[in-house]
Amino acid sequence: MKLLFIIVALAGSLRAAPLPPGVVVFHSDATSGAYIGSPSLCILPNAEYLASNDLFGPSSHEHQNGMGRIYHSTDRGATWTHLTDCG
């Protein structure tokens, strides 16, 4: 009976990490080997937003052909559209 209680107690303490605040523009899983770096945000005079990031890490090929990504939002960052990759 004690073993069952310990397993139930441990299972109750395992919780998923909390989500970050706000809206995730782009996610790259750590297992991909391509990590997000240099995040940038620009608010344009017409109130649209641009966001960008680059990719680095062992699977990013950053030293042969660096790559960045650009995103656009027309609703103050509530939703994002991937515009282009540049590199």
Side-chain angles (χ1 to χ4, degrees):
M1 200 53 111
K2 289 181 184 180
L3 180 60
L4 179 60
F5 174 74
I6 292 169
I7 292 171
V8 171
L10 287 174
S13 67
L14 299 176
R15 292 191 173 87
L19 295 175
V23 175
V24 175
V25 178
F26 174 67
H27 173 78
S28 179
D29 193 80
T31 60
S32 73
Y35 314 125
I36 299 169
S38 308
S40 300
L41 180 66
C42 177
I43 302 174
L44 302 174
N46 65 358
E48 294 181 1
Y49 291 11
L50 291 177
S52 66
N53 67 268
D54 61 33
L55 295 174
F56 69 97
S59 297
S60 70
H61 309 291
E62 65 182 304
H63 299 292
Q64 293 83 25
N65 184 24
M67 188 177 89
R69 299 177 67 101
I70 300 177
Y71 307 88
H72 177 246
S73 175
T74 58
D75 55 10
R76 302 180 71 187
T79 60
W80 292 91
T81 303
H82 174 239
L83 289 181
T84 191
D85 291 338
C86 47

